[in-house]
Amino acid sequence: MERPQPDSMPQDLSEALKEATKEVHTQAENVEFMKNFQKGQVTRDGFKLVMASLYHIYVALEEEIERNKENPVYTPLYFPEELHRRAALEQDMAFWYGPHWQETIPYTAATRSYTRRLHTVGRTEPELLVAHAYTRYLGDLSGGQVLKKIAQKALDLPSSGEGLSFFTFPNIASATKFKQLYRARMNTLEMTPEVRRRVIEEAKTAFLLNIQLFEELQSLLTQDTEGWDQSPPAAAPGLRRREDSKVQGSIPTQMPSEKPKQNIFSRGPLVRWLLTLSFLVTTVAVGLYAM
Ligand code: HEM
């Protein structure tokens, strides 16, 4: 049996989504990675990681959008020229990772969970695709524009916008007007109350997938920096390169902060001195035993 909508639930899908994701949006703004970002505390390593994740996410999202572009559950929201980010992210990947980026960009576990969900939705529940498109594209046209300026300043990037193509929408003259159009289109989608309820739930899931991603990236960055001080860089669990290469390892980016790998012999004079002493003691002991 279908549950009735609470009286307070707005009629328009756009309003209902905004309302229902308010809390989880605040949560997303307040994860450590995002809080640091907003304060301008974003490193090249952190930025490269998040951009590579976005590349995988948009490849999956836009593959599913293409699959469903003629499905009436999605068609009114099909704006490839205005919105699609894959080509822009390819340019950014080349900027950040160089010409062989396809073989070297990381693909983290949380990114993989996100892309897996996108493919499941696109293939088996396309009526929920609107929730993912809403969460990403309207977010990119809102807070994304603030993040662009912060990154440009913090990372000292050229004003030409190189490395930040993802944040630039050359075919959208006014983000505010485009968002209005997009909301109006969302409101034309016909759906039963049950589907509407699932769409709203899926939007919250989409936000949670983003939150999990930021949490994972933060822990990878922290682990990696901690690793430098203690022992040879620890392999970051959950981080691998592209699926086909199946490579496990720590953040496969060129770390400006990277210190040379240490072995026991490079650990300083005390360790060397102790090793020499124990070698001498062993030699004398063996000599005495043989006498
Ligand atoms: C530092 C992090 C973030 C900041 C500063 C930020 C900021 C904003 C701002 C200022 C708006 C406009 C609100 C309005 O028009 O009333 C907005 C809207 C939005 N944001 Fe964010 N945001 C952040 C993170 C995120 C994340 C991680 C997501 C999801 C991936 C997201 C998704 C959205 C969506 C979907 C909207 C449109 C809401 C609507 O009008 O229905 N935001 N954000």
Side-chain angles (χ1 to χ4, degrees), residues 11-290:
Q11 275 299 305
D12 286 342
L13 179 65
S14 65
E15 284 300 312
L17 282 172
K18 184 164 185 164
E19 179 76 29
T21 57
K22 214 177 221 163
E23 201 178 315
V24 82
H25 186 279
T26 307
Q27 238 177 292
E29 282 178 273
N30 286 305
V31 290
E32 199 184 343
F33 186 86
M34 275 297 151
K35 274 209 310 221
N36 290 345
F37 204 124
Q38 289 174 84
K39 285 189 263 176
Q41 292 165 3
V42 53
T43 61
R44 284 181 175 247
D45 294 332
F47 193 72
K48 283 173 72 168
L49 261 183
V50 76
M51 294 305 280
S53 293
L54 289 174
Y55 167 76
H56 295 296
I57 289 162
Y58 281 87
V59 167
L61 175 61
E62 289 165 10
E63 204 176 301
E64 296 311 325
I65 289 175
E66 289 300 324
R67 190 195 305 283
N68 290 290
K69 64 183 173 192
E70 276 158 20
N71 187 332
V73 299
Y74 192 81
T75 309
L77 302 177
Y78 186 61
F79 288 104
E81 295 302 318
E82 292 84 352
L83 290 179
H84 286 197
R85 302 286 81 208
R86 183 182 177 153
L89 281 161
E90 282 173 355
Q91 283 181 26
D92 290 340
M93 289 301 95
F95 177 86
W96 290 107
Y97 289 90
H100 304 293
W101 62 269
Q102 304 235 29
E103 294 90 56
T104 54
I105 62 170
Y107 198 165
T108 69
T111 312
R112 189 167 295 280
S113 303
Y114 198 157
T115 58
R116 214 181 284 129
R117 181 66 197 152
L118 288 167
H119 287 307
T120 305
V121 164
R123 288 178 190 137
T124 67
E125 303 176 273
E127 64 280 9
L128 305 186
L129 204 50
V130 47
H132 287 279
Y134 161 79
T135 303
R136 284 290 354 160
Y137 293 125
L138 283 207
D140 300 335
L141 288 170
S142 308
Q145 298 309 297
V146 182
L147 300 180
K148 177 187 182 180
K149 293 202 184 88
I150 295 174
Q152 201 151 22
K153 195 162 167 228
L155 304 175
D156 199 16
L157 291 168
S159 56
S160 59
E162 268 187 295
L164 294 168
S165 304
F166 167 73
F167 298 95
T168 313
F169 291 82
N171 296 327
I172 294 181
S174 155
T176 308
K177 285 200 180 125
F178 186 85
K179 283 193 283 183
Q180 280 166 4
L181 167 67
Y182 197 86
R183 290 189 189 108
R185 290 289 186 90
M186 283 200 290
N187 297 336
T188 67
L189 292 172
E190 286 190 15
M191 54 183 76
T192 64
E194 170 59 11
V195 169
R196 182 182 153 103
R197 188 190 61 75
R198 284 170 46 229
V199 167
I200 289 167
E201 279 311 301
E202 191 66 23
K204 289 192 225 164
T205 301
F207 270 85
L208 290 178
L209 286 165
N210 281 278
I211 290 170
Q212 278 158 13
L213 172 66
F214 299 138
E215 283 173 346
E216 178 203 48
L217 298 188
Q218 184 62 44
S219 85
L220 287 172
L221 288 165
T222 317
Q223 256 179 35
D224 228 79
T225 346
E226 279 170 2
W228 306 131
D229 296 337
Q230 291 156 5
S231 56
L239 203 152
R240 58 161 104 136
R241 296 175 198 209
R242 286 186 62 84
E243 189 170 26
D244 40 356
S245 68
K246 300 268 187 233
V247 178
Q248 296 278 348
S250 63
I251 298 171
T253 55
Q254 300 222 310
M255 296 286 191
S257 54
E258 190 167 355
K259 289 180 186 168
K261 287 188 183 180
Q262 291 191 331
N263 63 33
I264 197 160
F265 296 102
S266 60
R267 290 243 161 163
L270 182 64
V271 173
R272 273 203 302 272
W273 191 85
L274 282 172
L275 283 170
T276 312
L277 185 67
S278 55
F279 175 73
L280 286 175
V281 170
T282 312
T283 311
V284 172
V286 169
L288 287 174
Y289 180 75

